[in-house]
Amino acid sequence: MTRIFSGVKPTGHLTLGNYLGAVRQWAEVDQHRADALFSVVDLHALTVDHDPGRVRRLSKQAATLLLASGLDPEACTVFVQSHVDEHARLSYLLECVATDGEMRRMIQYKEKSARERERGGSVRLSLLTYPVLMAADILAYGADEVPVGDDQTQHVELSRDLAVRFNQRYGRTFVVPRATPPAVAARVMDLQDPASKMGKSHDSGAGIVYLLDEPDVVRKKILRAVTDSGTEVEYDREAKPGVSNLLEILAACAGGNPEGLSGVYESYGALKRATAEAVVELLAPLQKRHKELVADPAYVEEVLRRGAERAREMAKPTVDAAYRAIGLLPPT
Ligand code: AMP
Ligand code: TRP
């Protein structure tokens, strides 16, 4: 059976981008067709300035939202990364296979470290090595497929390279994974700045729809979305990034495709209204379920406990095999 692994970082509240680009596909498709694991990858939240209490709260919230989005603990494994030691154990071995040069070529590292330096801050070493930990997340479980948004494909490529290199040097140990981005909405853009990704850790919330935003907040954000010059509703990512982003969101929420939908709306205003309603409708059941789950924290904790147990069992044999293959003496 195909094995799937994916994760979400608890660095901020989950956004519409996370949902359309990743989580929805996990819930609607992936968990039903494969042996799937989904993780709140909390170790990855420590690569930038963070507040310990906030990371804890966001981790619990992210796990709750994954379940509210429809991940079914009977159908897949949901767990918190730091509850399973194998991730960090394997990450170190992969650091011994990765090179300094290939880490520095990662686009996300270049962008995030430049931003940090501009602010006069220091760059944590873990920001550089983070894609290796991500590779460990994937390779520990022998995942064949990694359903992620566009921004993560370079990191999955690195995981492939590391798996192939390790296997060539030390004998076949890892499955070589591949990224499986969604057909639409692989990259939802910020409503106030359609040139950049809708990211949960961005400073201003005005262009970001959070999954737990109240319906009126969602409407306000979408109605105030930045659009483009001209008046015609056209799907053209280059010339009309704002309008195209709305068309993609609408298509992802309500069905259809962005090109086809562009002929339907007479004005930017009409497109915004339709998009706002489609998003509100999409989020309503998820928000309702989230409220129920928040009222039952013991259930969520139990799901995470069982998830970690299962994940540990799955990862340990592969990580142990990697320790042997690379030349470490087995304990007696
Ligand atoms: P992160 O928020 O970086 O932990 O991302 C969790 C998942 O959501 C990853 O698979 C990302 O690729 C995906 N994702 C995050 N932001 C967006 C976005 N704006 N559009 C599409 N997918 C996204
Ligand atoms: N790096 C991913 C992100 O920022 C999150 C992540 C960590 C991940 N480990 C993973 C995604 C393993 C898929 C598989 O979105």
Side-chain angles (χ1 to χ4, degrees):
M1 198 177 193
T2 304
R3 175 72 61 86
I4 286 183
F5 184 95
S6 200
V8 55
K9 286 193 304 267
T11 44
H13 301 284
L14 261 64
T15 71
L16 185 64
N18 293 132
Y19 185 70
L20 295 180
V23 180
R24 181 167 69 162
Q25 181 180 304
W26 304 350
E28 289 180 0
V29 186
D30 296 330
Q31 67 173 342
H32 302 298
R33 70 178 176 87
D35 182 8
L37 297 107
F38 301 106
S39 183
V40 176
V41 285
D42 53 351
L43 296 173
H44 290 280
L46 312 182
T47 56
V48 287
D49 242 353
H50 76 282
D51 171 67
R54 184 164 187 263
V55 170
R56 269 191 295 271
R57 282 193 300 282
L58 288 172
S59 296
K60 188 167 276 185
Q61 188 192 63
T64 310
L65 275 169
L66 291 182
L67 299 176
S69 302
L71 291 188
D72 172 3
E74 301 302 319
C76 66
T77 303
V78 181
F79 72 103
V80 174
Q81 181 192 31
S82 66
H83 295 174
V84 179
D85 292 341
E86 315 310 316
H87 297 247
R89 269 183 85 211
L90 180 56
S91 187
Y92 179 71
L93 293 203
L94 296 177
E95 281 186 22
C96 301
V97 175
T99 68
D100 175 68
E102 76 193 330
M103 301 317 297
R104 289 182 199 281
R105 280 198 294 277
M106 292 291 123
I107 297 163
Q108 214 169 60
Y109 172 71
K110 287 201 262 189
E111 287 176 359
K112 286 192 179 172
S113 59
R115 231 180 290 148
E116 196 55 53
R117 287 196 184 95
E118 252 169 50
R119 282 209 295 253
S122 54
V123 178
R124 294 181 186 188
L125 180 59
S126 56
L127 188 68
L128 179 65
T129 56
Y130 144 97
V132 177
L133 177 59
M134 175 162 164
D137 299 339
I138 297 166
L139 301 185
Y141 296 95
D144 307 281
E145 294 182 16
V146 187
V148 281
D150 246 12
D151 60 323
Q152 294 300 319
T153 45
Q154 194 190 29
H155 294 157
V156 180
E157 279 301 311
L158 176 83
S159 307
R160 287 177 68 86
D161 292 346
L162 296 183
V164 168
R165 197 176 307 153
F166 190 105
N167 289 347
Q168 275 169 354
R169 277 190 203 161
Y170 306 114
R172 206 184 133 63
T173 309
F174 298 121
V175 173
V176 180
R178 63 190 177 88
T180 50
V184 275
R187 199 175 183 82
V188 177
M189 309 308 275
D190 189 292
L191 299 171
Q192 289 299 318
D193 175 15
S196 61
K197 186 185 84 154
M198 184 184 283
K200 58 171 131 61
S201 23
H202 287 184
D203 303 337
S204 128
I208 304 166
V209 174
Y210 295 103
L211 296 185
L212 292 178
D213 278 346
E214 296 285 336
D216 279 345
V217 175
V218 173
R219 289 192 185 96
K220 199 180 293 169
K221 286 177 176 174
I222 294 178
L223 295 180
R224 288 186 187 162
V226 167
T227 40
D228 314 292
S229 53
T231 53
E232 207 149 321
V233 177
E234 284 167 315
Y235 183 67
D236 182 339
R237 272 213 168 229
E238 297 288 307
K240 297 208 165 183
V243 169
S244 301
N245 189 36
L246 291 172
L247 284 166
E248 288 212 13
I249 293 172
L250 177 60
C253 295
N257 64 66
E259 289 90 351
L261 287 169
S262 63
V264 175
Y265 298 93
E266 296 278 314
S267 67
Y268 291 172
L271 171 64
K272 285 179 176 177
R273 284 189 293 277
T275 306
E277 290 318 311
V279 173
V280 166
E281 206 168 302
L282 182 83
L283 296 185
L286 188 157
Q287 295 186 347
K288 179 166 173 274
R289 180 92 182 109
H290 179 263
K291 217 174 263 169
E292 291 163 6
L293 288 166
V294 166
D296 191 2
Y299 169 76
V300 177
E301 273 166 30
E302 179 57 16
V303 167
L304 296 179
R305 196 191 58 74
R306 274 194 298 138
E309 207 172 298
R310 224 155 42 193
R312 214 173 288 129
E313 267 166 31
M314 282 193 239
K316 193 162 186 310
T318 304
V319 177
D320 283 347
Y323 268 64
R324 302 294 83 82
I326 207 168
L328 298 171
L329 193 63
T332 45

